[in-house]
Amino acid sequence: MSALLEVHDVRKSFGGLHALSRCSFAVERGSVTGLIGPNGSGKTTMFNVITGYERADAGTIRFDGRDITGLSADRVGALGLGRTFQLSRVFGRLNLLENLRVGSGGVPRSRRKELFSENRCMEMLDAVGLARLAHEPAGSLSYGQRKLVELAMVLAQEPSVILLDEPAGGINPTLIGQMAERITELNKQGVTFLLVEHNMEFVMGLCDVVAVMERGSVIAVGEPEVVRNDPRVLEAYLGGSLDDDPANAVPAVPAAAAPASGESA
Ligand code: ADP
Ligand code: MG
């Protein structure tokens, strides 16, 4: 395997807060790589910087050998780097097919017709196990199903790497299993994954490699079992077990799916 995504010495501050301080790590081609760490350690900021939603203050990001530092989110998406968001961005009043088409914003106009034909959208919904709900409003879905819709939205853009921000967060065990199966399936088909997740069972079961962040730094990178027992990592989780992370608790989720707002942080 060779690195498909390389983050080198990346820094990002918000005012005086160093959200990312000289972070480096790589995502190997064909891997499922985990990015874990306590709340506020910089994981979402890392995603934002990689995918062009935030601009790094310093450092370089390479994707498939190409320097993508500072490119816009649309450009990064068009190169084949897809992502989902920690908070659902699905529109509750639109049906699933319509949601997929709305999500085509980052795709060059010339390719939209081809990539977002009804047939292809159905294929993407099928890939996440939701084809039978294609004509239902997204608002009638559970929170976990909406996360699967988001995954379908990303798939439609044919990414070679997908960044998932807490795909299992707040979803029920059955759907967590379904999400894990979809990731494994897509990974077998050649899609590389970088996933932020607090659910340790999910991370340990899926990931080949795990990078750990603490207060804006990458403090460990390695195989899940090794990282899990790394004293620095246990210390980062306040001396407790990784499974005790309060972030593992299932958050309350609003039943109605209003067009969810973007990232809070
Ligand atoms: P994580 O995803 O690991 O929980 P985040 O990347 O969301 O962490 O946040 C890292 C730190 O950066 C936090 O202290 C957060 O409050 C801060 N932060 C993130 N985004 C912004 C922003 N747009 N403006 C100011 N501070 C931010
Ligand atoms: Mg986050």
Side-chain angles (χ1 to χ4, degrees):
M1 291 201 280
S2 59
L4 181 56
L5 184 65
E6 290 168 275
V7 173
H8 184 69
D9 258 0
V10 163
R11 277 180 269 171
K12 176 72 188 174
S13 297
F14 297 106
L17 180 104
H18 300 298
L20 301 176
S21 9
R22 305 195 60 139
C23 287
S24 299
F25 75 101
V27 176
E28 300 297 318
R29 194 183 300 273
S31 71
V32 178
T33 299
L35 184 62
I36 67 170
N39 276 330
S41 54
K43 305 178 299 295
T44 295
T45 303
M46 179 67 83
F47 270 23
N48 287 341
V49 165
I50 292 172
T51 53
Y53 285 82
E54 304 267 13
R55 192 178 274 265
D57 298 332
T60 46
I61 299 155
R62 299 181 78 80
F63 173 53
D64 212 2
R66 170 181 182 158
D67 190 347
I68 60 162
T69 323
L71 293 188
S72 70
D74 282 359
R75 296 266 292 130
V76 172
L79 288 173
L81 218 148
R83 74 168 292 182
T84 63
F85 291 85
Q86 189 171 344
L87 302 176
S88 174
R89 293 193 160 193
V90 167
F91 291 95
R93 289 210 206 135
L94 301 184
N95 73 30
L96 304 196
L97 286 171
E98 289 164 341
N99 263 287
L100 259 60
R101 290 203 200 99
V102 169
S104 71
V107 173
R109 216 169 271 278
S110 57
R111 295 207 64 204
R112 274 184 215 170
K113 259 217 171 103
E114 165 210 345
L115 290 181
F116 292 88
S117 68
E118 176 143 348
N119 277 347
R120 273 205 86 247
C121 287
M122 282 304 288
E123 273 174 37
M124 298 310 135
L125 288 174
D126 196 38
V128 300
L130 294 178
R132 76 201 144 80
L133 300 175
H135 298 282
E136 299 297 321
S140 67
L141 303 186
S142 71
Y143 183 73
Q145 286 173 319
R146 275 182 259 155
K147 291 209 155 181
L148 286 165
V149 174
E150 297 218 7
L151 179 56
M153 287 163 92
V154 175
L155 288 181
Q157 303 181 23
E158 300 185 322
S160 49
V161 54
I162 301 179
L163 280 59
L164 300 173
D165 202 346
E166 304 199 13
I171 78 178
N172 73 47
T174 312
L175 277 171
I176 289 180
Q178 202 170 322
M179 180 68 80
E181 272 171 32
R182 299 306 166 193
I183 293 170
T184 304
E185 190 66 28
L186 290 162
N187 182 240
K188 275 191 199 146
Q189 292 166 22
V191 181
T192 301
F193 283 91
L194 175 61
L195 64 97
V196 163
E197 187 45 63
H198 287 291
N199 182 319
M200 279 305 130
E201 204 185 324
F202 190 84
V203 169
M204 298 294 159
L206 277 174
C207 297
D208 308 300
V209 179
V210 177
V212 187
M213 293 194 67
E214 187 204 12
R215 281 184 267 159
S217 296
V218 177
I219 59 163
V221 181
E223 287 175 18
E225 275 313 314
V226 177
V227 161
R228 181 176 210 153
N229 297 308
D230 185 321
R232 285 168 304 171
V233 176
L234 295 173
E235 181 68 32
Y237 281 88
L238 303 169
S241 142
L242 263 61
D243 304 304
D244 295 338
D245 186 344
N248 278 335
V250 177
V253 172
S261 60
E263 290 289 71
S264 60

